[in-house]
Structure formats: structure tokens, C-alpha cells
Amino acid sequence: TDGKGGYLVPTEQFTQIKELRRTLVSLKTLCNIVPVTSFKGTMPIEKDGTGELIAFEELNEIDQSDVDFAQVAYNTADYGDIIPISNTLLADEKANLISYIGKRFNKKAVNTENKKIIDLLNTLTATAVPNYKGIITALNKDLDPAISQNAVIITNQTYFDILDQMEDKQGRPLLTVSLQDETKKLLKGRQIIVLSDVLLPMKATKAPVFVGDMTEFATFFDREGLELAISSEAGFTKNATYIRAIERFDVKKVDGKAMVYLEVETAAEEGSLCF
């Protein structure tokens, strides 16, 4: 104990803060990222891409058509956080606290972006499907072929685990390994993006699955990225240093037909892992 000699034993402070390792999948990187310089504005988009050329006979005038445009309006919001730190602590600590706080702000920024993007995905109308074959149908039929070609599959840990254990009667797995990155798994050649169950929870026995091209579905309007600032003047009366993080962004749906929202029933799949 301290009174029985403990005070005589020097204590050691490790020079690195032990960070709890957690997933940091950034959905922002899947979106179409557009840097903007003003806090609000509009982006023009084509309204209809299914027009055709019109047949005409020689010496007759060619029929005239028109082009219709729509627009996506954005309005960036400010997201921020401030952490005050005692100047005495800064002077005495040896664990590189400032660097740790910078990384913590970055994690918070990714969490904030992911929440906003998932909120946007949840505005889609969910379609209930009985098993994983609904994902294949979405790739083959529900999405435009050009969209399907660049599609990703976003789901949670629980359903990824079910898919990853599925094998056919010859023992061949349903999922394949990406040749570019062996840590990533593919279904029908499309990469599976795995989010934590906390971020993308199950709905009883139904698993949320989003299938499509995120770059076509959503645009991330990024104004100046993540800004970090340190001020000792702001906390002068408290002998403190303030560390501030501010991010300004907005994320908007551009093509609602570029993503499909599925709720896959897992009860039968968990009991029978063969296809």
C-alpha cells in the first residue's frame, strides 16, 4: 500500500495511450464527393436518361425534342466538438495526448458522416426477401445493368457471418475472395461492405442489406473537410488549452434508383447453410 512503502516505488507513465480498436469504415468514400466553397447551393442533374433518337425519312425535317433538368439543393451544416485540457496536464503528460485527441476527432467525424449517410439510405423503401437470393435478383433485375456493374453490398456483421459460412453441396463457399485484397469478400463479384451491428442493427431476424452504386445514389458536399484548431487564449482564465474540431458537409440523394434496400429473412438461412 502507499503508506507501507508504496510511495517509495516510482510509477511509470507509458508514452502511448492505448486506443480501443474499433471499426472505422467510412461510407463517405463510397459516395460522389464534391468539394464546395459556399455553405449552400444547387447541383443540376438530368431528369430523364431514357430518350431515343426519332426515325425520319430523307428530305423530311428531323423532329425536335427538349432536354429537361432537375437540381439537387444542398445546405451544409456545421458539426463540431471542443475538448478543454489543463495546461498543467499538457506540461506533465508524456503520452502524446494532442495526437490522440486529433485521431479521436477523426473517428467522431467518420461516425457523424456514417450516421447521416445511413439515415439517407433508410429513406429508401425496404423490400422483404426470403433469403440471400433476393440480393442476386436485385443485382440482375432491380438495378440498371450499368448501376449493377459498379454495385457494392452493404450489410452488418451478423448477416455477413451468415453469408460467409454458406457453402454448396460440394463445400464451395458462396462468397469469393477479392484478388486485389484478400481481406475483402465478394458476392457475384461485388464487394461486401461490413458495418458493425451497432451502426446497422438487425430487425428481429431480418438483416438490412443495401445493394447498388453509392456514387450514383448520393453526393457528399464537402466544405473544407475536417478543421482542427488549438487555442490557449480561449481558456486563459482557466489555465486551459482548447482543442476544437469543425466539419461542414451535407449529403443528398441524387439517384434513388441506384440503390435497393432489402430486408433479408435470416431464420431459414441460419438453419440451412447450403445452396
Side-chain angles (χ1 to χ4, degrees):
T1 62
D2 289 339
K4 296 295 184 179
Y7 289 124
L8 304 179
V9 180
T11 60
E12 178 182 359
Q13 182 183 99
F14 288 95
T15 58
Q16 188 64 41
I17 296 172
K18 172 59 180 173
E19 296 183 55
L20 300 180
R21 190 170 180 85
R22 295 293 185 268
T23 182
L24 201 63
V25 177
S26 174
L27 295 178
K28 171 185 174 180
T29 61
L30 301 177
C31 299
N32 175 35
I33 302 174
V34 176
V36 296
T37 56
S38 58
F39 73 94
K40 66 178 181 179
T42 59
M43 181 179 72
I45 61 172
E46 68 172 340
K47 195 172 183 179
D48 182 17
T50 60
E52 299 178 1
L53 297 178
I54 302 170
F56 69 97
E57 295 181 2
E58 192 174 359
L59 300 181
N60 289 344
E61 288 195 14
I62 302 175
D63 288 341
Q64 299 180 24
S65 62
D66 201 355
V67 180
D68 292 326
F69 291 97
Q71 65 180 13
V72 174
Y74 69 87
N75 192 346
T76 61
D78 293 351
Y79 302 89
D81 194 11
I82 292 179
I83 296 180
I85 304 174
S86 162
N87 287 334
T88 303
L89 172 61
L90 285 177
D92 294 341
E93 68 91 16
K94 301 176 183 178
N96 203 6
L97 181 60
I98 295 295
S99 175
Y100 164 76
I101 290 175
K103 288 187 282 186
R104 179 174 173 82
F105 278 142
N106 184 61
K107 292 177 183 178
K108 285 189 173 186
V110 171
N111 291 338
T112 304
E113 294 161 2
N114 284 351
K115 183 180 184 304
K116 297 300 179 182
I117 293 170
I118 290 174
D119 287 346
L120 196 64
L121 286 167
N122 282 328
T123 63
L124 297 170
T125 301
T127 301
V129 295
N131 51 46
Y132 77 94
K133 293 183 179 179
I135 302 174
I136 298 175
T137 298
L139 291 169
N140 292 342
K141 291 178 59 179
D142 298 339
L143 296 171
D144 184 273
I147 297 294
S148 177
Q149 185 176 0
N150 297 317
V152 296
I153 300 166
I154 301 172
T155 190
N156 61 14
Q157 293 169 278
T158 296
Y159 192 55
F160 173 73
D161 181 57
I162 294 172
L163 291 175
D164 200 30
Q165 295 189 45
M166 283 190 176
E167 297 178 343
D168 65 11
K169 295 178 181 179
Q170 283 73 46
R172 294 173 298 189
L174 172 66
L175 303 184
T176 57
V177 177
S178 170
L179 297 177
Q180 287 75 31
D181 186 346
E182 294 184 357
T183 65
K184 296 177 181 178
K185 295 292 183 74
L186 311 176
L187 175 61
K188 293 293 182 180
R190 279 75 165 190
Q191 183 182 342
I192 299 178
I193 309 296
V194 183
L195 301 180
S196 71
D197 287 348
V198 175
L199 197 58
L200 204 60
M202 296 286 291
K203 294 184 178 179
T205 58
K206 294 182 179 180
V209 180
F210 299 97
V211 186
D213 188 344
M214 283 292 293
T215 60
E216 295 294 325
F217 171 73
T219 292
F220 189 99
F221 297 96
D222 193 357
R223 188 183 178 203
E224 300 172 358
L226 182 64
E227 171 196 306
L228 297 177
I230 299 178
S231 173
S232 56
E233 289 80 8
F236 180 78
T237 60
K238 296 182 179 181
N239 190 32
T241 293
Y242 283 59
I243 305 177
R244 184 187 70 190
I246 294 177
E247 184 178 23
R248 302 173 180 88
F249 72 88
D250 195 9
V251 57
K252 290 293 185 181
K253 177 165 58 178
V254 176
D255 183 359
K257 295 181 180 179
M259 291 294 294
V260 175
Y261 178 14
L262 304 176
E263 289 185 346
V264 184
E265 180 56 60
T266 65
E269 291 183 322
E270 287 183 285
S272 177
L273 298 181
C274 292
F275 61 94

